[in-house]
Amino acid sequence: MQSESPAAAAPSLPEGRFDGREAFAGIVRAALSSAARQGWRELVFSDPDFADWPLGERASIEALQAWSATGRRFMLLAQRFDVVERSHARFVPWRRMWDHIIECRTVRTEAGSAAVPSAIWTPEWFVHRTDPERSRGLCGFAPRARRELRETMDESWRTGRPAFPASASGL
């Protein structure tokens, strides 16, 4: 009897609708695990403040550490990063260590304009919380939905400014 490979044993990426904070947190964990296991070249995380993302969990940092390598790119887009600094204590030192692969931007939204999307984009898969307050949304592999999400994120990225420096002096 052959043993199952580690990649086959790991949870696969979900597809379809999701509802609730625990479901969303599980999806983020699965994305980080898949990024490490599959060696994704690029990750784009976007959220107004990342308050309810499991970025500070030991397993998340271990997955990010396993994912980090030459040629990787991690983009973080937010309206504000102060919540990340206060609430994700393990993430902040990891961000400092891997500053050379991480770009962070903040977008100021005007009254009546759309907020930064709450989403993860990868070249093959996406998750989009269309209702961040209730943690409801959609995830999957659909090329059109993935492309449209990336276009929305890119537009916010273009209007954003560098933020969340690796050190207080920005060096």
Side-chain angles (χ1 to χ4, degrees):
M1 181 175 188
Q2 290 184 332
S3 65
E4 199 172 328
S5 73
S12 62
L13 290 168
E15 190 167 13
R17 298 205 172 278
F18 62 89
D19 188 359
R21 292 183 79 190
E22 284 305 311
F24 175 69
I27 290 168
V28 173
R29 290 180 195 105
L32 291 171
S33 176
S34 291
R37 194 174 60 255
Q38 297 174 14
W40 295 343
R41 288 273 190 221
E42 183 176 29
L43 289 173
V44 183
F45 282 15
S46 174
D47 193 75
D49 61 14
F50 296 102
D52 54 356
W53 291 51
L55 298 177
E57 294 178 358
R58 184 180 313 274
S60 294
I61 298 306
E62 288 171 356
L64 283 167
Q65 186 66 27
W67 169 78
S68 307
T70 302
R72 303 283 197 251
R73 182 176 186 209
F74 190 14
M75 299 168 64
L76 292 166
L77 179 66
Q79 285 174 239
R80 49 189 264 220
F81 284 100
D82 60 319
V83 174
V84 174
E85 294 174 293
R86 283 193 320 267
S87 301
H88 303 301
R90 289 185 181 102
F91 183 80
V92 174
W94 180 85
R95 184 262 179 276
R96 283 187 194 117
M97 181 177 10
W98 292 97
D99 179 56
H100 59 286
I101 66 170
I102 301 171
E103 296 177 64
C104 302
R105 286 192 171 245
T106 187
V107 177
R108 304 234 190 288
T109 56
E110 304 296 323
S113 66
V116 171
S118 181
I120 296 173
W121 182 92
T122 77
E124 298 174 8
W125 178 83
F126 75 97
V127 60
H128 186 191
R129 277 197 310 178
T130 54
D131 182 354
E133 188 176 313
R134 292 175 189 84
S135 283
R136 292 180 180 155
L138 179 67
C139 54
F141 299 90
R144 181 177 177 179
R146 202 173 63 250
R147 182 181 65 252
E148 289 172 357
L149 177 60
R150 181 63 190 252
E151 288 170 0
T152 300
M153 294 168 109
D154 284 349
E155 183 58 33
S156 291
W157 188 264
R158 279 189 289 280
T159 64
R161 300 210 178 268
F164 190 26
S167 66
S169 64
L171 299 176

